[in-house]
Amino acid sequence: MKAYIALIKKEARENWRTYKTPLLVAVFILFGVISPLFAKLMPEILKQLATTGVKITLPPPTALDSWAQFFKNMRQMGLLVLVILFSGTVATEFTRGTLINLLTKGLPRRTVILAKFTMTTVLWTSAYALSVAITTAYTAYYWTMPTYHHLILTFSGPWLFGLLLISLLILGGICFTTTIGSLLTCGGAVILMTLINIVPTWQASNPLTLITQNLALLTGKLAVGDFWPAALVAVGAIVISLGSSIIIFDRRAI
Amino acid sequence: MPILTLEHVTKRFGRQMVLNDLNLIVPEGRIFGFLGENGAGKTTTMKLILGLLRADQGVIKVNGEPVTFGQTTTNRLIGYLPDVPAFYDYMRPQEYLQLCGEISGLSKDCLNQRSTELLTHVGLANTHQKIGGFSRGMKQRLGIAQALLNEPRLLICDEPTSALDPVGRLEILDILQQLKGQTTVFFSTHVLADVERICDEIAILHAGKIALTGQIDDLKAKHATHHLRVKFATTAELNQFISLGWSDFQTDLVSFSVTLTAPDILKLEMTVMQALATQQLTPISLERTAPTLEQLFMEVVQ
C-alpha cells in the first residue's frame, strides 16, 4: 500500500510537471464553455455564412442543442485529447528505462499498472466532471432547463468509455512498450467497435453506444435497459485489459 | 555464507547462448570485480540476479534465498546501479530519493536522514535543480545514492565508470572504495585500472562461463610462474637478445628489459640461460614476474 501511494504521488507530480494535467483541464474547461455558446450562436453563425438571396430558417436553439454539442465535442475531440495526452504513460517508462530502479527496490509490478490507471482515472474524472458542470451552468444560464431522464447514466457513458480507452492505452503500452503501440491498440479497438456496430443485433452491447446514444437516453427515447449491456461490456473489457496487463507485465523481461 | 551464488546458470537469447553453465560465488564484504569483454554477458548476469530476466536453467541465491523472476523479494537486500541510470527528469534529487525510499518501505524519519546523508556523501546535497539538467557524472552519483538508500547487503553496479570523464570516474571509485567493509560491491567493468584500484577479488566471464576467479593477489602469484623478465644494461644488448627469435615476448625500451612468457617456466629459464651463454650476454637481472591484470585478462580471453 505504501508503494502504491508513493507511486500515485509520483504520477500526480509527473502529470503536473509535464503539463498533462493543466492541458487536460484547460481543454475540458474550453469544451464546457464552447458547447453551449456554440449552440446559442449557431443560428447567427449560419446567418453570417449564408450567401445573399439564400434564406436559412432554423428553429431557435434549445438546451438540448447545447447538450448535443457537448456530447459531439466529447466524442470527437475530448476522448482524442485524453488518448493523445496519456498515450506515453506506460511506454515512456519502458523506452527510457525509468522503472528499473524502482522495480529493483522491490516495487511489485502490478502496483505500476494500478497506480497509473488510478491516477489517469482521477484526472479524467475531474476534467470530465468540470466540463459537465460548466456546460450545465452555461446551459441553465442561456435557456430554461427541461426535465431530463437518466441524467447520471447519460453522463456516465462518455466517462466509462474514457476509462475503457485508458485501460487499453495501458495494455498497449505493456504489450508493445511504445507510444505508437498504445495508440494503435486504442485505435484498433475503436475500429473494431465501429465494425461491430454494423450488425444491428450487436449494437446494444457495443461500448460505442456509451458515446453515441446519450441524447436518446436523455430525452427518454432509449430505455435504461438498452444502455446497460454496453456499460457492462465496457466494464468487463476494462477488467480484462487491466488483468491481462498485469499478467503480461509479470512475465515480461526488462 | 556467501552473499551471492550462481549455480549452473544458463541463459539463451534465441539461438545465442549467452551464459553457459555459469558458476560463481561472491563472499560477503568484498569489492568484487566482474570482468569480461563487451557482449560477454555481464549485464545479462546482473539482470538475472535482479530477477529482471528469467534464467533458462540454474539457481541464483542472494544471502541463501533463491531469486525468483518477476516478483523478486531478494531485491530488498540489493542496491542496483544500472550502466546508464534513468531517472524522472522533472524531479529533484531529494524528491527522487523520497520516491525510492517510500517504495522500499523506509520510515519517514529514517528516509529524511538517509537521503540527506547520501546526497551529502555523493556531493549533491546543495543541488536543487531538476535531474533533467544533470551531467552524466551527477546522474551516476545520484544512481549510487538511490542504490544505497535501503542500506543493501549487496550493491550491484553495471559498468559504473565507463561513460565518465577521468574526474567523474575517480569520484565514483572513491565512493565505492569507501563502502568497503559495509556492503559487498559486485561491479562489472572492462576498465582494468579501476579493478586494480579498488577490487579484492575478481571473476572473468568468457564464452558464457567464469574463466578465472579468485583474489587478485593470489591469481597474480599463481600465474607468476609463466613470466620471466630479463633486464639489460644497453639497448644493443636488448636488441641482440630479442633478435634470437622468441615466440611470446613484450619489450620495455625504457628499462631495457624484455618479458618472456611460456607455459613451462623452468624450461624457459634453461633456454634463456643457454641463449645468454651462447651469445655471451650478461643481463643485469633475470626474474620471475607477476603478470599485470591486463596480461591475465588477455590470457583468459584469447
Side-chain angles (χ1 to χ4, degrees):
Chain A
M1 197 62 192
K2 216 172 169 184
Y4 175 73
I5 292 166
L7 222 54
I8 290 272
K9 284 198 284 189
K10 173 247 160 196
E11 289 295 324
R13 183 175 271 151
E14 177 169 312
N15 287 323
W16 180 256
R17 289 199 185 160
T18 56
Y19 308 110
K20 289 193 188 90
T21 306
L23 260 171
L24 190 75
V25 170
V27 167
F28 277 71
I29 287 178
L30 191 72
F31 283 150
V33 175
I34 62 163
S35 299
L37 192 67
F38 211 68
K40 184 79 181 166
L41 297 179
M42 187 57 93
E44 289 300 316
I45 295 168
L46 286 177
K47 212 185 279 177
Q48 297 293 323
L49 288 176
T51 45
T52 347
V54 181
K55 198 174 178 192
I56 300 171
T57 44
L58 278 176
T62 65
L64 205 61
D65 289 315
S66 168
W67 289 114
Q69 199 68 44
F70 173 80
F71 287 117
K72 196 177 117 199
N73 282 340
M74 274 302 144
R75 191 168 59 233
Q76 292 179 348
M77 291 297 298
L79 292 169
L80 192 67
V81 168
L82 172 75
V83 166
I84 290 174
L85 275 181
F86 292 95
S87 55
T89 187
V90 171
T92 45
E93 299 271 7
F94 284 110
T95 47
R96 303 199 56 205
T98 38
L99 278 181
I100 290 184
N101 283 347
L102 308 186
L103 293 179
T104 52
K105 293 214 156 20
L107 175 70
R109 292 182 180 207
R110 68 186 55 192
T111 308
V112 177
I113 291 170
L114 295 177
K116 282 196 181 288
F117 183 71
T118 311
M119 200 57 230
T120 319
T121 297
V122 167
L123 285 179
W124 161 238
T125 308
S126 315
Y128 181 71
L130 192 62
S131 200
V132 169
I134 293 171
T135 307
T136 309
Y138 273 101
T139 308
Y141 175 71
Y142 292 136
W143 298 279
T144 15
M145 291 270 263
T147 320
Y148 289 125
H149 301 86
H150 322 301
L151 216 53
I152 292 176
L153 196 63
T154 306
F155 289 118
S156 304
W159 173 75
L160 190 59
F161 198 82
L163 292 198
L164 175 61
L165 293 181
I166 293 169
S167 69
L168 287 168
L169 281 179
I170 292 176
L171 178 65
I174 294 287
C175 288
F176 303 107
T177 68
T178 57
T179 303
I180 198 85
S182 278
L183 287 171
L184 286 178
T185 307
C186 248
V190 172
I191 290 171
L192 186 71
M193 287 187 264
T194 313
L195 290 176
I196 287 173
N197 231 28
I198 295 171
V199 187
T201 48
W202 291 358
Q203 280 173 5
S205 52
N206 190 342
L208 220 50
T209 302
L210 299 173
I211 52 168
T212 53
Q213 297 300 323
N214 310 86
L215 278 188
L217 194 66
L218 204 62
T219 51
K221 281 182 195 155
L222 193 77
V224 177
D226 297 334
F227 207 67
W228 276 118
L232 288 176
V233 169
V235 171
I238 292 168
V239 172
I240 291 171
S241 287
L242 291 179
S244 336
S245 301
I246 289 172
I247 293 169
I248 295 168
F249 191 25
D250 267 346
R251 291 166 190 212
R252 177 173 284 286
I254 296 171
Chain B
M1 188 194 295
I3 188 73
L4 174 68
T5 53
L6 288 92
E7 295 163 14
H8 308 291
V9 173
T10 300
K11 179 69 189 169
R12 252 192 209 95
F13 289 116
R15 285 185 175 179
Q16 193 196 355
M17 176 80 91
V18 180
L19 302 178
N20 182 11
D21 195 31
L22 182 140
N23 292 286
L24 180 67
I25 294 173
V26 178
E28 187 146 26
R30 301 283 159 81
I31 298 193
F32 197 100
F34 189 45
L35 314 182
E37 308 127 286
N38 286 329
K42 300 187 293 290
T43 301
T44 303
T45 310
M46 293 187 158
K47 287 194 165 181
L48 288 170
I49 299 167
L50 291 157
L52 296 174
L53 288 176
R54 191 198 298 269
D56 295 331
Q57 276 167 35
V59 179
I60 301 172
K61 286 180 185 166
V62 175
N63 199 36
E65 274 180 62
V67 173
T68 48
F69 168 75
Q71 300 297 337
T72 317
T73 50
T74 42
N75 281 353
R76 72 183 191 285
L77 304 169
I78 301 178
Y80 175 52
L81 173 65
D83 49 352
V84 184
F87 304 102
Y88 298 106
D89 287 349
Y90 54 84
M91 281 190 184
R92 295 186 173 85
Q94 184 77 37
E95 293 167 346
Y96 190 76
L97 291 191
Q98 203 78 27
L99 169 68
C100 293
E102 286 172 6
I103 284 172
S104 308
L106 296 182
S107 71
K108 204 174 173 187
D109 291 344
C110 173
L111 174 57
N112 285 339
Q113 189 199 341
R114 209 56 210 134
S115 51
T116 311
E117 268 172 27
L118 282 168
L119 287 176
T120 310
H121 189 57
V122 299
L124 292 174
N126 297 317
T127 308
H128 301 293
Q129 70 184 106
K130 288 183 185 163
I131 301 171
F134 273 26
S135 69
R136 264 190 161 168
M138 288 163 90
K139 284 188 179 172
Q140 212 73 358
R141 283 186 277 145
L142 178 61
I144 291 192
Q146 63 81 26
L148 292 173
L149 192 63
N150 55 339
E151 298 185 301
R153 300 269 301 274
L154 175 64
L155 176 68
I156 297 180
C157 307
D158 191 1
E159 303 198 5
T161 56
S162 54
L164 302 179
D165 63 28
V167 178
R169 223 186 93 213
L170 287 180
E171 284 171 353
I172 297 293
L173 289 178
D174 279 348
I175 294 171
L176 291 180
Q177 196 154 31
Q178 285 167 25
L179 294 172
K180 210 171 214 167
Q182 303 166 35
T183 301
T184 310
V185 181
F186 181 71
F187 92 99
S188 75
T189 184
H190 49 248
V191 185
L192 299 171
D194 293 354
V195 176
E196 297 233 61
R197 197 183 161 95
I198 66 166
C199 290
D200 340 88
E201 203 161 328
I202 59 159
I204 300 177
L205 180 64
H206 180 62
K209 290 179 194 297
I210 297 297
L212 190 71
T213 183
Q215 298 200 24
I216 296 186
D217 294 341
D218 290 352
L219 290 175
K220 282 186 175 176
K222 204 166 145 194
H223 286 73
T225 48
H226 299 312
H227 303 274
L228 187 67
R229 190 159 73 135
V230 192
K231 195 172 174 184
F232 295 95
T234 64
T235 319
E237 286 175 319
L238 176 66
N239 287 338
Q240 189 186 342
F241 182 75
I242 292 169
S243 66
L244 297 174
W246 305 98
S247 59
D248 190 357
F249 67 95
Q250 269 189 319
T251 46
D252 178 356
L253 294 173
V254 181
S255 64
F256 309 135
S257 67
V258 58
T259 304
L260 301 160
T261 307
D264 186 344
I265 192 76
L266 289 174
K267 198 171 160 194
L268 178 66
E269 279 169 344
M270 289 303 293
T271 318
V272 166
M273 282 191 279
Q274 276 169 5
L276 288 170
T278 319
Q279 295 289 317
Q280 293 195 317
L281 281 167
T282 46
I284 294 176
S285 67
L286 183 71
E287 60 177 346
R288 289 182 189 180
T289 58
T292 61
L293 192 56
E294 193 175 336
Q295 283 168 331
L296 268 181
F297 184 79
M298 296 309 278
E299 266 180 37
V300 169
V301 301
Q302 274 172 1

